[in-house]
Amino acid sequence: MTDKPKNWVFSDPRLQDLKQDYEAYTAEDFKVWKILYERQMPNLPKAASQAYLDGVEIVKFTADRIANFEELNKILKETTGWAVQVVPGLIDDDLFFGLLNNRRFPSSTWLRKMEQLDYLEEPDMFHDAFAHMPMLTNQPYVDFLEKLSGIALKHIDDPWAIQLLSRIYWFTIEFGLIRENGELRIYGAGILSSKGETKFSLSDEPAHYPYDVKRIMNQVYWKNKFQDKYFVIESYEQLYNSIPEIEAVLEEMLTKETRS
């Protein structure tokens, strides 16, 4: 994809022109958001990264009001230059990375139903908004996200390369931990939206390893249960500064014959 202009994704016919229809949210939708918000937020002041807690304040999320993307985009534009791009759900890898590379975070607008409070096969808006969007106010974090997606686009036709990069994404953006003032804190969205994994990830049960690009790229992950290991960064600058190493390790692993 190196021959394509950076903004190619916005003219791709697969990218639908969707908007958040805020007036269409039902009383049940607001109730679901409130229940999930009030169930998780009290756990986070002593568990989440300060960047996330600051981000919640910046984006002005509350229990009584579903996230409003129009308002959110104005805030993000002024803080890091990012925005939310509405998508119907899971999208193709090249569209996903293409949006991130253009500082657009893909998000659905549908919310789970009351009977789905504890488990969903596909991330809904609560996960996308509550867990991801406060972190979009942190500049080194979003710079990492943009650069990582740029690497992915260079290798988008190689499923093995995308698998290796997905491991980096998984153990940072979705399930990453950070050490702040000597204590473990959460910045990964997959943990931040899960009451159970919030407690588990910071406990003594799983293993905690220093952030290590090569080790992460050789580490498979689970989608249907808590991780048994987490990787810990020391700062978001460390995450961003690891981009050249990610490229180097990726190239090294792509030359190997073993693909597992």
Side-chain angles (χ1 to χ4, degrees):
M1 283 207 170
T2 54
D3 58 336
K4 286 189 177 183
K6 185 179 175 74
N7 64 350
W8 65 269
V9 67
F10 299 117
S11 59
D12 192 294
R14 292 171 298 161
L15 187 67
Q16 303 175 42
D17 184 19
L18 301 176
K19 304 292 183 184
Q20 180 188 40
D21 185 358
Y22 203 85
E23 299 303 317
Y25 288 121
T26 65
E28 180 181 353
D29 291 329
F30 277 92
K31 186 175 182 179
V32 165
W33 174 276
K34 184 179 178 68
I35 290 173
L36 292 173
Y37 191 100
E38 292 184 337
R39 188 168 71 175
Q40 180 62 341
M41 186 53 76
N43 302 311
L44 298 182
K46 294 184 178 180
S49 166
Q50 191 60 49
Y52 175 83
L53 298 174
D54 291 344
V56 171
E57 295 295 321
I58 293 170
V59 299
K60 301 177 182 178
F61 283 173
T62 67
D64 296 320
R65 198 159 178 266
I66 294 171
N68 185 306
F69 290 177
E70 184 177 354
E71 296 173 0
L72 179 62
N73 281 342
K74 292 177 182 177
I75 295 171
L76 291 177
K77 182 179 180 180
E78 295 174 357
T79 52
T80 58
W82 275 62
V84 177
Q85 180 86 29
V86 176
V87 295
L90 297 176
I91 56 178
D92 293 338
D93 286 344
D94 61 335
L95 292 181
F96 177 76
F97 290 119
L99 288 171
L100 293 178
N101 195 229
N102 281 276
R103 297 187 292 181
R104 297 292 182 269
F105 189 85
S107 174
S108 57
T109 59
W110 59 275
L111 278 161
R112 69 194 76 181
K113 300 301 182 183
M114 290 294 291
E115 62 269 19
Q116 300 172 304
L117 287 178
D118 295 311
Y119 179 73
L120 282 178
E121 289 189 5
E122 181 181 340
D124 70 341
M125 179 203 170
F126 181 78
H127 169 81
D128 290 341
F130 176 86
H132 278 287
M133 293 176 192
M135 287 301 303
L136 298 181
T137 63
N138 182 276
Q139 196 67 57
Y141 173 94
V142 293
D143 289 346
F144 168 78
L145 200 49
E146 179 183 354
K147 295 297 184 182
L148 181 67
S149 60
I151 298 172
L153 290 173
K154 293 178 184 177
H155 300 275
I156 200 66
D157 295 323
D158 185 343
W160 177 235
I162 298 304
Q163 174 61 34
L164 294 175
L165 292 171
S166 74
R167 294 173 181 178
I168 296 289
Y169 186 94
W170 187 267
F171 285 111
T172 58
I173 303 302
E174 291 293 350
F175 290 91
L177 299 180
I178 185 171
R179 195 175 307 279
E180 294 178 341
N181 299 319
E183 297 184 345
L184 292 181
R185 292 289 184 264
I186 301 160
Y187 72 93
I191 311 176
L192 289 169
S193 59
S194 167
K195 180 180 179 180
E197 193 150 7
T198 292
K199 182 178 180 179
F200 176 81
S201 67
L202 299 179
S203 73
D204 294 331
E205 291 186 63
H208 299 105
Y209 297 112
Y211 179 66
D212 183 324
V213 169
K214 183 172 288 189
R215 185 166 191 167
I216 292 174
M217 282 195 179
N218 281 285
Q219 179 63 53
V220 296
Y221 56 81
W222 297 325
K223 289 187 175 182
N224 58 353
K225 56 182 177 180
F226 294 168
Q227 308 304 305
D228 65 345
K229 53 183 67 67
Y230 300 90
F231 293 88
V232 184
I233 61 173
E234 298 297 325
S235 69
Y236 297 107
E237 287 78 12
Q238 178 194 14
L239 201 58
Y240 175 71
N241 291 335
S242 73
I243 287 293
E245 184 182 2
I246 291 172
E247 288 192 281
V249 173
L250 178 63
E251 293 297 336
E252 176 187 330
M253 293 186 69
L254 290 179
T255 62
K256 296 181 179 180
E257 292 184 4
T258 302
R259 299 190 169 208
S260 61

